[in-house]
Amino acid sequence: LQLRVAVIFFMVTFPAVIESGTEAKLCASLLRPNETLQMTIYLIHNNHSRTLVEETVEEEFHRCSQFKAPEVDGQSLQEIKVQVKGESFEMTEKSRVLFKSYNTLTFIQTDKPIYNPGQTVNFRVVTMDSNFVPLEQKVRGVSDNNNNRIGQWINVSSSGLILQLSHKLNSEAPQGLYKLKANIGNRLTEHHFKVQKYVLPKFEITVKAPEQQSVGEEELKLEICGKYTYGQPVSGKALVQVCRSFWTYTYYEDVCMLSCFEKYSLTNEILLSRTGCAFPSFNISTFMNTEMESSLQDSLAVSATVTEEGTAISMVKSENIQLTFQIGKVEFLDLPKTFERGTILEGKIKLTNFSGRVIPNKMVYLFTDGSSTVTVQSAGGDSHKFDVHQNNKLLYQEKPLQDVPGKYSIEVKGSTCVSVQMALFYNIPTPTETSTLSVKAKTEGNCTKSFGNILSVNFTVTYNGTLASTNMVIVDIKLLSGFTADPNELKYSPFVERVDSKDDHVIVYLKEVLRNTPMNYELHIKQVLPVKNLKPAVIKVYDYYQTNDQSETEYSSHCA
């Protein structure tokens, strides 16, 4: 008895995504056939099959075949079925292929973006398929700023090349935005250009301002210069305004969507010097206000208007200065690259302000890695020890004191700094009067991890007053210790006007709250630091204009 084993290798390859209506390719390979085989390849969609390849093979081969991809609108997921049969061998395989239609790419380009009335608009149009091969195209026309057709091209097309045309504008053409339109198949492509009477300016303005201004610097210094096109200085005056703008969606008293408010704006009018320059300065403290800080942008808008003496011709130039809350810098100088344990480490510390000037007569505290033991002891014998080292230096540690009221002593031994705090109450909500606003909260989430859990804080805001709805309502969410949150996930929730994140609070601005209509929101918080004996946090809700109408509640981690 003899046993014969034959191994046949058969493989069909084709692209995973094929463009609709194109000539597609599939390749088949057959190795070690030991008998005559019948090979058939089908394309199957919606229970309908189409034969792509059908042949009888006896020898090894590798060949590719072309087939016409089906025309689809959008995209269509279909199936390619491969079937190979012989007397003693049979194989059937199926695989999916995505047929997708691609829109053509049309580019319209003018020789410049702005034209004077009476000038000629030179433009070119090119249309390409997904392989960047130019296609035939037709241009429809050009329209003025009132959408009136002022030019058209009928039966003008390119034979696979760039189509170049022109249109002469009327000398009395109205100023405004004009459109060029091109029809490619059933698609319309537009390109815009401007018609504007352009006069070369007599002079130009330059504004020299720092890219960043530290809030720790008392003065903002600017340089405003006006020079004619031939280089001579302008004689006249400069009106300079510096403003710290509100966010466009800020509400303040009865004023909505302010850009510049008088309280946070300074104006200085100054004559230009013989060099055509002025050097105004502004006090930065004017722009800093803790009450409205969250509603102000962290930037200063500078607007300089230079007016020429005698003609009263004015030019305007604007700049934007970013505000930074970095007030200085500390540098270590002359430190050795290596040192031995137990030896004295010598070096220098340099303290400078944001502008780089040295700050003298300031106390500098130097901290090094190490460990310390804190002993808290009362006269009655109540004693507690806290060990602080590199592995737990950010960990909050807490122990209750028994001899209260009483006197306690604190002793620290070691080589690192420790912050010690004593408190009698923790997170006791402020008693509130009767309020028409109320808030409820609870947490949910998977607590399987020992660290790094993500919790959902679900809170509901309700209004039961006499009006149909409230003013703007603020929801102030205090985060649990050791947790962080991404406030952006609340931005697109119903009635949410704005969301801010400051320190460990998330501030949500609601446009209004409808009467007797609970409004539900969800905020995800993530644990980033381990905290023992985690205390609850407070969610506070109040009316933006009537802050005495308020309410608050607590929430805590259910994983504790």
Side-chain angles (χ1 to χ4, degrees), residues 25-39:
K25 180 188 292 186
L26 62 82
C27 297
S29 297
L30 177 65
L31 299 177
R32 301 179 184 175
N34 64 338
E35 59 179 302
T36 301
L37 299 173
Q38 180 69 30
M39 177 186 71

Side-chain angles (χ1 to χ4, degrees), residues 319-336:
E319 290 290 343
N320 198 58
I321 303 173
Q322 292 298 317
L323 281 176
T324 176
F325 292 86
Q326 178 184 347
I327 61 174
K329 183 170 63 172
V330 177
E331 294 180 88
F332 290 94
L333 306 176
D334 301 336
L335 288 178

